[in-house]
Amino acid sequence: MKHFTFLLLFVTSIALSQIKFQVTLPSNTPANDLIYVTGTFNNWNPADPVYVLHLNNQTGFYEVMIPQGTGTFECKFTRGSWATVEGNAAGGYRPNRTYTYSSGPQVIAFPILSWEDLGTGAAGTAASNVQILSNSFGIPQLSTTRKIWLYLPPDYATSTKHYPVLYMEDGQNLFDNVTSFSGEWQVDETLNTLFSQGNYGAIVVGIDNGGGERLNEYSPWVNPTYGGGHGDEYAAFLANTLKPYIDANYRTRPEPAMNALIGSSMGAIISTYAACEYPNAFRKVGNLSPAYWFALSDMNAYINTLAPSVLQNHRMYFVSGTNESTSMVPDVNTVRNNLLAKGLTAANAFTKFDSYGIHSESYWKGEFAAVYTWLFQNENLAVTTPTFETPKIMQTLSGKIYVEGMPTATDFEMFDMLGKKIKNITLSNGMYEMPEEIAKGIYILKSKNNDIKSFKLIRN
């Protein structure tokens, strides 16, 4: 283990005080990485050069200075980004550290138990058909990046099948006990078992939560006590950046009926919202112990603005414990009833309240198989080719775009490989030059209505 100590000098107009922090780092901390402290005192900048720890050659410890404050402060340690933030004892998400400023000297221990991107160094529990798609997949809508997990069915490499896709929140809790917050869902083991029993199979895309930004990103609306308000941008990332990338690079069924959003607690809020906001991208939702209380009035007001039949082809599963909170059951029923008023049919809305249900990964792990199988039980998955429109879009050797079999002029959006939207373009049958203003690189062309498979384009 590496041992570091740093002193934070607090100066006020009344007194001079010091806080001494003793820091222990995991043994797998890269030797050349800089360690930063970030928190409420610097607007949570994870790589602020003012707050990098520096070696004191006389003491052998690393030290950093931050200004004095009043009340409480929150902080975390990073190696320069939120993708390399400290983790808990299992290598998963660790809540913010909270401490109270004092006018007198203090000694406070900050043991860093792991780094989220590296885990604890212990062996992981993820199955062999789980991979890390990216440790820093771009979220241009929020000017940040995120770790993305990818589960491929056991026969993906040996078949030509196209699969439905589950987009699941809190990715660090889905596959690996090392990275989980308090135990994993065993999504991979569950799906592998179902596959061995004859299930068609599905692709799973797990998106890590943003740690300290989780509440902000998982709610489009602001809770005056807990935050929120960035869910609209996050939902746009799911529909307009991540899904087009997955559809362009893997054998998916991109039709909205073949794409599900699944989340628990706050993850259920953003799943419900994104499926309503982007009905041409996602039409299946798994809501486990949804934390609708966080923005209940705003959620219901939003649902009331939807077109009367917008959810007529959606399918939603609601499950929670009866004793999770006094408001859980009535909140779920209220939201469900409002969704029914917007076209969701009773046959496509399954609700289950369990006396044994608790607000934890262990409960959601046990419910996942039922959620997944019910959502897709009426779908004809056993096809070798998707049922969406497949016009021929290709590039010539000179880089021109050739289109054939397009029924009508269709609006497309062009994204770069970081997920940033570059340009709108309308295509019909014929030959087109690549836009001159597009820089060299690889791009994804996605139809705005998501009724045509995404395509790769290359600018040489």
Side-chain angles (χ1 to χ4, degrees):
M1 301 287 286
K2 302 178 182 178
H3 298 275
F4 301 92
T5 299
F6 63 91
L7 304 179
L8 290 85
L9 184 62
F10 291 78
V11 180
T12 69
S13 59
I14 300 175
L16 178 68
S17 64
Q18 286 184 324
I19 295 181
K20 181 180 182 180
F21 294 89
Q22 295 180 327
V23 179
T24 302
L25 297 185
S27 60
N28 63 346
T29 302
N32 295 324
D33 281 11
L34 296 176
I35 309 300
Y36 299 81
V37 61
T38 180
T40 52
F41 47 78
N42 74 337
N43 294 318
W44 293 103
N45 181 348
D48 190 336
V50 175
Y51 297 105
V52 64
L53 280 66
H54 294 288
L55 177 65
N56 183 323
N57 291 318
Q58 292 182 341
T59 65
F61 299 126
Y62 282 75
E63 301 177 349
V64 66
M65 308 281 286
I66 64 173
Q68 170 68 310
T70 58
T72 61
F73 69 95
E74 297 183 359
C75 65
K76 274 190 172 180
F77 289 94
T78 79
R79 302 198 325 277
S81 72
W82 288 114
T84 57
V85 71
E86 63 172 314
N88 61 18
Y93 170 69
R94 188 204 189 287
N96 297 337
R97 303 174 182 276
T98 302
Y99 293 92
T100 302
Y101 287 109
S102 171
S103 59
Q106 299 181 76
V107 176
I108 304 175
F110 274 94
I112 299 179
L113 302 177
S114 69
W115 301 107
E116 281 194 8
D117 64 317
L118 301 177
T120 61
T125 60
S128 60
N129 51 328
V130 174
Q131 60 184 273
I132 303 302
L133 176 65
S134 173
N135 278 306
S136 56
F137 194 93
I139 306 181
Q141 294 84 353
L142 292 166
S143 300
T144 189
T145 62
R146 198 57 44 80
K147 182 177 180 180
I148 306 294
W149 302 69
L150 183 69
Y151 166 93
L152 296 176
D155 64 343
Y156 186 88
T158 58
S159 75
T160 59
K161 291 162 56 176
H162 290 74
Y163 303 87
V165 185
L166 316 181
Y167 292 87
M168 300 185 65
E169 308 307 329
D170 295 310
Q172 51 265 73
N173 298 331
L174 303 178
F175 306 107
D176 198 332
N177 199 53
V178 169
T179 62
S180 66
F181 173 62
S182 59
E184 58 150 318
W185 286 35
Q186 296 186 344
V187 168
D188 44 348
E189 290 91 343
T190 298
L191 291 178
N192 284 347
T193 297
L194 289 172
F195 179 85
S196 70
Q197 297 170 350
N199 184 264
Y200 182 83
I203 293 171
V204 181
V205 180
I207 309 100
D208 271 15
N209 66 55
E213 290 297 308
R214 181 175 182 268
L215 300 184
N216 293 331
E217 293 178 357
Y218 284 2
S219 173
W221 309 285
V222 175
N223 178 299
T225 301
Y226 298 104
H230 295 164
D232 195 44
E233 294 87 345
Y234 183 81
F237 158 70
L238 295 175
N240 297 330
T241 302
L242 183 58
K243 185 179 186 298
Y245 179 89
I246 297 299
D247 288 339
N249 288 275
Y250 298 93
R251 296 195 313 275
T252 67
R253 295 285 300 272
E255 314 97 302
M258 297 295 175
N259 287 265
L261 295 166
I262 299 177
S264 61
S265 191
M266 290 296 296
I269 291 183
I270 197 62
S271 296
T272 302
Y273 172 77
C276 294
E277 186 72 2
Y278 296 95
N280 289 325
F282 312 105
R283 289 187 185 163
K284 288 184 168 55
V285 188
N287 296 299
L288 295 88
S289 302
Y292 292 139
W293 64 266
F294 188 90
L296 183 63
S297 296
D298 290 317
M299 170 70 83
N300 288 322
Y302 165 75
I303 294 172
N304 289 336
T305 67
L306 299 174
S309 60
V310 69
L311 303 179
Q312 63 182 352
N313 295 314
H314 280 54
R315 191 166 171 86
M316 297 190 180
Y317 192 111
F318 303 87
V319 61
S320 70
T322 54
N323 298 314
E324 291 190 47
S325 71
T326 56
S327 66
M328 176 65 76
V329 171
D331 286 353
V332 170
N333 284 331
T334 297
V335 171
R336 176 183 179 274
N337 290 339
N338 286 332
L339 293 168
L340 289 171
K342 296 300 178 178
L344 181 67
T345 65
N348 283 331
F350 184 89
T351 307
K352 184 166 79 85
F353 298 118
D354 299 316
S355 61
Y356 57 84
I358 58 176
H359 207 80
S360 77
E361 263 68 35
S362 61
Y363 173 52
W364 303 325
K365 173 181 70 175
E367 298 302 310
F368 168 70
V371 174
Y372 161 66
T373 54
W374 183 86
L375 287 176
F376 289 94
Q377 68 181 8
N378 296 330
E379 300 295 345
N380 179 20
L381 302 177
V383 294
T384 57
T385 57
T387 58
F388 53 90
E389 296 178 23
T390 54
K392 183 177 182 181
I393 301 179
M394 61 177 292
Q395 278 188 286
T396 66
L397 292 176
S398 63
K400 293 182 179 180
I401 304 170
Y402 174 75
V403 181
E404 178 183 297
M406 189 82 72
T408 59
T410 303
D411 293 327
F412 287 84
E413 296 172 315
M414 188 178 293
F415 297 86
D416 65 17
M417 296 306 288
L418 293 178
K420 180 180 179 181
K421 181 180 173 181
I422 301 299
K423 187 178 179 63
N424 292 323
I425 186 172
T426 301
L427 298 176
S428 56
N429 295 325
M431 190 81 73
Y432 298 84
E433 295 281 352
M434 279 284 282
E436 293 184 0
E437 68 272 21
I438 300 298
K440 292 182 179 180
I442 301 175
Y443 298 89
I444 296 172
L445 201 61
K446 171 186 175 292
S447 68
K448 283 190 174 182
N449 292 328
N450 204 54
D451 53 359
I452 297 175
K453 183 176 176 62
S454 299
F455 292 86
K456 283 185 184 179
L457 293 175
I458 300 174
R459 174 70 166 182
N460 295 315

